[in-house]
Amino acid sequence: MRDTPLSLTERIGWGALGLAVLLGTWTLLTASGLVPRPFLPTPGDVLGRMIELMSAPFAGATLPQHLASSFERYAYGVLLAALIGVPLGLLMGWFHWLDDIVTPLFDGLRFIAPIAWVPFAALWFGTGMGGPVLIIFAGAFPPCLINAYRGARFVEPRLIEAARMLGTGNLRTILEILLPAATPSIVAGLRVAAGLGWQSLVGAELIVAAAGVGFMMVQAQANVATPTVMAGMVAIGIVGMLIDVALRQGEAWLRRRRGLEA
């Protein structure tokens, strides 16, 4: 039997409790001396360092500037993945011959982890914009294509039959029947792609970038600046959470608009 959904107040309360347990355990580990403080700073040390980094440059930029650089790469990579993956997935769902051509190649490439593209990206693009964008694209592209494809393949058959009876052309059928019907699946795929793209970005910046929050963390690690490393990790988590919250709200709004939930 399905549990009753928690109210907003209850969700906030349980979330705050979980955060308090995490911070308490972290503080106790630091205070106990089990982990040396230079390698595990207190939550206060990390928070203080984050505040400093808002205005004090590290590795050539402040924390907001590093995040802006990271987000620019991220936006390019995810947008490129969506612009290619969604139309290609819809076309594969409609044209069986295209499905037969693309699927074997796609199945071979999609199991290559995005981080495995790092050496190739470094050789081709060095530490410029292209390398991280390629790696983000590699992470975000498969969910975009797969969800668009599945959405197109599971469209109500009677809608397709009605379009064929009326003599509707392929392009119009894709735009007016397949795309609207597959939109919930496409949006769900974009949410997955956004998360994978953000994770891929950080991995890329650890190796093939000269700016960005991942680059900042590498420079901090080289200087044994653990609070700066952890400040970067916290910033990555917060931005990733905000991206996911925004996409969840968009998905919920779309489902309500289409009458798929109360």
Side-chain angles (χ1 to χ4, degrees), residues 166-192:
L166 294 171
T168 306
N170 287 328
L171 180 59
R172 190 174 178 185
T173 301
I174 292 171
L175 293 177
E176 297 184 8
I177 297 178
L178 260 65
L179 179 58
T183 296
S185 180
I186 291 170
V187 173
L190 291 174
R191 182 182 165 195
V192 175

Side-chain angles (χ1 to χ4, degrees), residues 1-256:
M1 187 174 181
R2 189 174 181 181
D3 294 334
T4 303
L6 296 176
S7 67
L8 177 61
T9 303
E10 289 173 327
R11 292 201 301 270
I12 292 173
W14 282 111
L17 178 61
L19 180 61
V21 170
L22 172 63
L23 293 176
T25 304
W26 180 358
T27 302
L28 286 174
L29 280 174
T30 305
S32 67
L34 291 175
V35 181
R37 188 163 176 172
F39 295 99
L40 183 64
T42 65
D45 293 337
V46 176
L47 178 60
R49 185 56 179 152
M50 284 189 71
I51 295 173
E52 289 177 7
L53 289 169
M54 298 299 289
S55 56
F58 182 87
T62 62
L63 180 57
Q65 290 170 335
H66 280 300
L67 285 171
S69 179
S70 295
F71 196 82
E72 182 182 9
R73 298 186 182 103
Y74 169 78
Y76 280 128
V78 173
L79 181 62
L80 185 62
L83 289 176
I84 297 176
V86 171
L88 182 58
L90 291 173
L91 291 172
M92 288 170 61
W94 181 249
F95 296 108
H96 293 288
W97 60 267
L98 183 62
D99 186 9
D100 292 337
I101 292 172
V102 175
T103 294
L105 177 62
F106 175 71
D107 284 343
L109 292 176
R110 73 187 179 98
F111 290 107
I112 301 175
I115 200 69
W117 290 93
V118 167
F120 179 81
L123 287 171
W124 271 59
F125 300 104
T127 57
M129 177 71 74
V133 169
L134 172 62
I135 296 165
I136 296 162
F137 175 85
F141 177 71
C144 292
L145 187 147
I146 290 171
N147 279 58
Y149 172 78
R150 289 178 176 173
R153 290 302 298 268
F154 290 104
V155 171
E156 185 67 38
R158 60 187 176 83
L159 297 177
I160 304 298
E161 292 171 3
R164 285 174 172 166
M165 288 178 61
L166 294 171
T168 306
N170 287 328
L171 180 59
R172 190 174 178 185
T173 301
I174 292 171
L175 293 177
E176 297 184 8
I177 297 178
L178 260 65
L179 179 58
T183 296
S185 180
I186 291 170
V187 173
L190 291 174
R191 182 182 165 195
V192 175
L196 290 175
W198 187 247
Q199 296 172 26
S200 302
L201 162 74
V202 176
E205 288 187 339
L206 292 174
I207 305 170
V208 290
V213 67
F215 173 75
M216 182 193 78
M217 291 169 61
V218 170
Q219 297 303 306
Q221 178 266 331
N223 289 280
V224 198
T226 310
T228 302
V229 174
M230 297 190 72
M233 293 172 64
V234 172
I236 289 167
I238 291 173
V239 173
M241 181 184 68
L242 292 175
I243 291 171
D244 188 64
V245 167
L247 289 171
R248 275 191 294 174
Q249 292 298 318
E251 183 180 8
W253 174 84
L254 180 64
R255 292 181 67 86
R256 288 194 301 269

